[in-house]
Amino acid sequence: MIELILNQNPWWKDKNLISHDPKLRELERRPLRFRPELQDEFDLDIPGIHTLRGPRQIGKTTAVKLIIRDLLLRADIAKEQVMYYSCDNIDTRQELAGLLEAYFDHLRLLGLMDHPLYIFIDEITVIKEWQRTIKHYADQGLLERAVVVLTGSSASDLRQGAEKLPGRRGAIAHPDKVLLPMGFREYLRMVDPPIAQKCANDIPLTDISNEGMKQLRSLLPLLGELNIHLERYLLTGGYASAINDYHDSGEIPYATWECYQQWVRGDISRSGKSERTARQIVRELLRISVSAFGWETIAKKIDVATHKSVAEYMQVLEDAFVLKTLFQIDLNTGVPRIKKLKKNYFLDHFIHWAMRGWVENWLTYNDTISGLLAKGEIKGPLAEQMTANELFRRFDRHDWLNSRVYFWKNGGEVDFIVLERAGLFPVEVKYQQGAGLSDCAMMKKLGFKRGLVVSKDTLAIHEGFAIIPLPLFLVMDSREQSLRHEP
């Protein structure tokens, strides 16, 4: 087994060989490089078991390799203290145990077993009952000095596995991390650092003061340029590979879309579900767009599916980070109303286009998408989807499976209700010309004293209710995500 480990850890021969890693070399070749902010959330000085999950092709392995490169630069860490292994060629938890046993035996021979260890196991969720092996070594005390990072592309598998490690995660504050497609703020830092720097601000999303409004007004001269970037972001989404493709040639190759589709189709097949039924469900979701619906609404359109089976397919897609389901909230209790109508959002516009191309069998993507965007009708729903994803990044990322973002519907509707420390905070999307204070009427009627309307071009504030153009909303200070995620 030690030979298998050596094959994936060439830096054990020479620390400098980390620079030959395929993922890092691919990153170096790219004209535009992206370093996720999430990397800074790993406290490598405190032993513990972390999970890192996120969509396929989003860059989890590259993020891990960048962390490894930083560790190898430290003079106080021997190269063998850092171990990486991808589970693509492992089928059972017994093989995983053999791998770890071989690693620990190697450390004993080197006299390093009592030193801090850094263990990275990539795509661990392909192994059934992987948590039993990790639990065994944690109970043996062999991980008490180790920082362990376990990655996977399934929210469900990682959740279920992590839940079976109570008391064994260490003293780390937030062990479960999610790497999502980059938001507009991160996109700007990647494609246009100067304008990203000009947009830097400290305006909290849910508590906009008159001073904050002054800062936003100072950004109005940048609105035209931001809208140009927003048009490109609507095409590429927050996937670094798609952004680089577009930067290189002005279009995203068919193979890039197809690669993502193949991953999703593979996840559907591995779950034991029918690809044909999944395709029909995705088609209905695209038709419904951002409207509220029930599982039975889709079931009636698909002869082979019941509302229960639709819910199961939706869970597969949600576990694969293709989409996220939004539930209604009871304004009096703050409790979600699971059985009521729901809303659905794809987790990125790149995912949206890839799924649409799959179900509609597109032969060309760039021209088709450009044509749809030129018509304008789709921009309103996309603006709402973009707003949803920004709220997910800010309020749900630290506890992905326990959402703090909901919506309200009962005769009227409020697009989003955020559950945050100060209480419930409403957000409406009115991506149209001339949005005004009248668009705050429903929020006021429900008794809210503050709220936010995401507009196309209006910037205003009145008695706690702010109206902000979409690009400015997307670049507002993001510190809420670390300040407000605790109950």
Side-chain angles (χ1 to χ4, degrees):
M1 281 297 243
I2 197 65
E3 290 79 11
L4 294 177
I5 298 174
L6 281 167
N7 288 339
Q8 295 200 33
N9 294 263
W11 54 84
W12 283 11
K13 297 177 182 177
D14 183 340
K15 279 189 175 184
N16 293 322
L17 289 178
I18 184 63
S19 63
H20 294 181
D21 181 85
K23 290 290 184 181
L24 297 183
R25 294 182 76 172
E26 180 186 356
L27 182 65
E28 291 299 321
R29 285 194 294 268
R30 289 177 172 175
L32 302 174
R33 298 169 195 166
F34 171 58
R35 185 184 187 279
E37 294 177 344
L38 175 140
Q39 284 181 224
D40 298 325
E41 297 177 16
F42 287 93
D43 191 335
L44 301 176
D45 295 322
I46 300 177
I49 301 174
H50 303 255
T51 64
L52 173 60
R53 51 196 170 191
R56 300 283 189 181
Q57 301 291 300
I58 200 60
K60 298 184 296 294
T61 300
T62 301
V64 163
K65 292 296 180 68
L66 287 169
I67 294 172
I68 289 173
R69 186 177 66 181
D70 290 344
L71 285 168
L72 293 172
L73 291 173
R74 289 173 51 175
D76 61 324
I77 295 177
K79 54 189 183 297
E80 295 86 0
Q81 288 172 244
V82 183
M83 193 275 280
Y84 167 88
Y85 203 85
S86 172
C87 295
D88 291 335
N89 65 343
I90 292 181
D91 298 315
T92 68
R93 65 181 182 85
Q94 289 80 9
E95 289 179 274
L96 177 62
L99 181 90
L100 290 171
E101 201 65 57
Y103 177 53
F104 294 139
D105 285 344
H106 187 65
L107 291 174
R108 291 185 187 100
L109 290 173
L110 296 174
L112 293 173
M113 199 59 200
D114 293 332
H115 289 60
L117 304 178
Y118 306 91
I119 301 172
F120 301 85
I121 305 179
D122 210 358
E123 293 296 345
I124 196 171
T125 54
V126 302
I127 302 173
K128 189 177 181 179
E129 296 186 323
W130 60 267
Q131 69 280 355
R132 291 181 63 183
T133 297
I134 299 300
K135 177 179 178 294
H136 169 76
Y137 286 102
D139 289 345
Q140 294 293 313
L142 296 174
L143 301 178
E144 63 181 2
R145 294 177 179 272
V147 174
V148 182
V149 178
L150 311 170
T151 84
S153 301
S154 168
S156 176
D157 284 353
L158 276 173
R159 177 196 66 219
Q160 294 168 4
E163 284 178 351
K164 295 175 182 176
L165 296 171
R168 299 171 180 87
R169 307 295 299 277
I172 45 180
H174 303 290
D176 298 314
K177 298 170 177 62
V178 177
L179 181 60
L180 296 172
M182 67 184 79
F184 188 56
R185 189 172 41 254
E186 293 175 296
Y187 171 84
L188 287 176
R189 283 203 295 271
M190 182 177 181
V191 303
D192 193 343
I195 195 171
Q197 183 60 39
K198 291 177 184 177
C199 290
N201 63 79
D202 58 358
I203 310 165
L205 176 69
T206 59
D207 188 19
I208 302 172
S209 63
N210 288 329
E211 181 58 38
M213 190 57 63
K214 288 181 182 178
Q215 288 190 56
L216 287 172
R217 288 195 185 97
S218 72
L219 299 180
L220 281 176
L222 302 175
L223 194 56
E225 195 172 352
L226 288 174
N227 274 316
I228 292 172
H229 281 301
L230 191 64
E231 287 287 320
R232 295 169 184 164
Y233 180 60
L234 278 171
L235 173 65
T236 65
Y239 278 73
S241 57
I243 295 167
N244 272 282
D245 286 341
Y246 187 83
H247 176 83
D248 287 342
S249 61
E251 63 179 32
I252 302 170
Y254 184 88
T256 301
W257 302 102
E258 188 177 40
C259 180
Y260 177 78
Q261 291 167 359
Q262 292 296 337
W263 276 115
V264 174
R265 293 165 70 180
D267 285 340
I268 293 167
S269 296
R270 280 187 290 274
S271 71
K273 301 299 182 185
S274 161
E275 185 180 318
R276 177 178 177 274
T277 302
R279 189 168 181 162
Q280 290 176 321
I281 290 173
V282 170
R283 180 181 289 112
E284 289 303 311
L285 292 175
L286 287 163
R287 183 187 63 79
I288 293 167
S289 188
V290 296
S291 300
F293 67 98
W295 301 145
E296 63 280 358
T297 304
I298 295 178
K300 289 176 182 177
K301 297 284 186 177
I302 303 173
D303 295 336
V304 297
T306 66
H307 72 279
K308 183 178 179 181
S309 62
V310 169
E312 291 172 354
Y313 275 85
M314 292 292 289
Q315 189 62 61
V316 169
L317 293 170
E318 189 158 358
D319 286 344
F321 293 95
V322 172
L323 51 81
K324 192 171 176 70
T325 301
L326 218 60
F327 295 97
Q328 293 188 50
I329 191 170
D330 186 313
L331 296 181
N332 295 317
T333 64
V335 174
R337 306 170 74 183
I338 304 297
K339 295 183 179 181
K340 297 292 185 179
L341 296 180
K342 304 149 186 70
K343 293 171 76 173
N344 164 268
Y345 296 95
F346 291 97
L347 284 180
D348 185 77
H349 359 299
F350 175 84
I351 297 175
H352 171 100
W353 299 126
M355 291 295 94
R356 185 162 180 173
W358 175 47
V359 302
E360 296 180 5
N361 199 26
W362 288 355
L363 296 178
T364 60
Y365 277 79
N366 299 280
D367 291 344
T368 304
I369 296 169
S370 295
L372 289 169
L373 290 174
K375 292 179 182 178
E377 294 93 343
I378 196 171
K379 285 189 177 179
L382 286 177
E384 186 172 328
Q385 179 175 280
M386 207 178 305
T387 301
N389 287 325
E390 185 62 25
L391 294 174
F392 297 154
R393 289 185 193 93
R394 291 170 182 258
F395 297 100
D396 283 354
R397 195 173 59 80
H398 283 92
D399 193 6
W400 186 249
L401 299 168
N402 294 295
S403 184
R404 293 179 177 274
V405 183
Y406 304 94
F407 76 105
W408 177 85
K409 185 177 180 67
N410 187 4
E413 185 173 330
V414 177
D415 292 328
F416 305 103
I417 303 286
V418 177
L419 179 60
E420 49 111 29
R421 274 188 185 176
L424 300 178
F425 183 81
V427 178
E428 274 280 280
V429 180
K430 298 294 182 183
Y431 195 72
Q432 59 197 32
Q433 296 287 345
L437 293 173
S438 61
D439 293 305
C440 304
M442 180 57 69
M443 294 185 281
K444 292 181 177 180
K445 182 179 179 180
L446 293 172
F448 288 104
K449 303 300 181 185
R450 59 198 179 106
L452 173 64
V453 174
V454 178
S455 70
K456 186 174 184 179
D457 53 10
T458 303
L459 179 64
I461 188 170
H462 181 71
E463 296 180 349
F465 291 89
I467 306 172
I468 301 174
L470 177 62
L472 300 189
F473 162 76
L474 294 173
V475 300
M476 287 174 64
D477 178 51
S478 62
R479 282 179 294 174
E480 295 75 6
Q481 61 186 11
S482 60
L483 291 176
R484 298 186 185 273
H485 66 271
E486 298 175 0

